[in-house]
Amino acid sequence: MRSIQIEFAPDSVTKRLHYASLPVLLLAAFTLILLCGLALRGKQLMQASMHATEKVQALTADIEKVEKRQIRVPTAKLPQEQVIAINQAVAKLNLPWTDVFDALEKASSDRVALLQVTPNSQKASLKAIAETKNGDDMIAYIEVLKQQKLFTAVVLEKHEINERDQNKPYRFQFEVQWRDGVRQ
């Protein structure tokens, strides 16, 4: 006959551990260690999150302080001469350079060499010096400039023949005025 085991002790953790096999005990120990590690890591992440939140709040407070601070721009009174000089420089910068150079380029040819251009922003004009091989090319260039829509007046101011050069080119100076209000 077979023996029957009769157990009168109540069911408890101790009793279960006593009858548990080695693999089950190892699995339980591994699970317990894993849970402890996860709890520790969770605590570290919570602390890091709280630290980051504190940093964000501090930076937000700093930004609000900077935004509330009024920026005071110092006002300086400039001497009248300096104001005039600044206004003249601005007027020179606001010349319709693109339009003027486009008109000069439309009038140019390979027979005329433009040597110098001097603008006068107050008169809306410019003086230029050019050179060509003969008088006919000089007159033709001035006539083409007169046909440009941008220019209101084109005046040949002076001309001379350069005797020192072996080609004896014509050097001439002219002034053009453009329409006021024309801008780039």
Side-chain angles (χ1 to χ4, degrees), residues 20 26 35-36 43 49 58-59 91 111 117 139 146 160 168:
L26 290 176
L35 287 174
C36 288
K43 182 180 177 185
S49 174
L59 289 174
R111 295 180 180 186
V117 176
I139 299 298
K146 287 181 180 179
E160 64 186 12
K168 298 188 186 322

Side-chain angles (χ1 to χ4, degrees), residues 9-122:
D11 194 23
S12 67
V13 175
T14 310
K15 180 180 170 185
R16 287 185 182 221
L17 286 176
H18 179 35
Y19 289 113
S21 65
L22 183 63
V24 171
L25 289 175
L26 290 176
L27 181 62
F30 178 74
T31 305
L32 184 62
I33 292 171
L34 185 64
L35 287 174
C36 288
L38 288 174
L40 181 63
R41 182 66 180 144
K43 182 180 177 185
Q44 290 172 345
L45 289 175
M46 288 294 287
Q47 287 174 344
S49 174
M50 288 173 49
H51 182 68
T53 302
E54 289 171 0
K55 273 188 169 182
V56 168
Q57 289 173 348
L59 289 174
T60 303
D62 289 345
I63 289 171
E64 287 175 0
K65 286 179 187 176
V66 169
E67 287 176 349
K68 287 180 182 177
R69 199 177 335 155
Q70 292 181 355
I71 298 173
R72 294 183 184 160
V73 178
T75 56
K77 294 187 179 184
L78 299 174
Q80 187 64 25
E81 304 88 37
Q82 194 172 8
V83 170
I84 291 170
I86 290 170
N87 288 338
Q88 288 174 347
V90 169
K92 286 181 182 179
L93 291 173
N94 288 332
L95 291 177
W97 287 111
T98 304
D99 297 336
V100 170
F101 284 131
D102 285 346
L104 288 174
E105 190 173 295
K106 287 178 186 175
S108 69
S109 70
D110 57 344
R111 295 180 180 186
V112 178
L114 197 57
L115 303 177
Q116 178 181 346
V117 176
T118 308
N120 185 340
S121 60
Q122 294 172 340

Side-chain angles (χ1 to χ4, degrees), residues 116-182:
Q116 178 181 346
V117 176
T118 308
N120 185 340
S121 60
Q122 294 172 340
K123 293 182 181 179
S125 68
L126 66 83
K127 289 188 178 193
I129 298 175
E131 202 171 71
T132 186
K133 290 183 180 182
N134 57 49
D136 293 335
D137 290 338
M138 175 184 66
I139 299 298
Y141 183 72
I142 296 296
E143 290 302 317
V144 172
L145 281 175
K146 287 181 180 179
Q147 294 172 2
Q148 298 300 314
K149 293 179 182 178
L150 175 68
F151 301 137
T152 57
V154 179
V155 177
L156 178 63
E157 292 184 334
K158 69 178 183 177
H159 67 282
E160 64 186 12
I161 299 172
N162 187 355
E163 296 291 337
R164 288 179 274 167
D165 190 342
Q166 68 181 4
N167 294 328
K168 298 188 186 322
Y170 278 68
R171 182 170 285 187
F172 59 99
Q173 180 176 334
F174 61 93
E175 182 176 3
V176 297
Q177 288 189 328
W178 60 81
R179 298 184 197 284
D180 201 21
V182 176

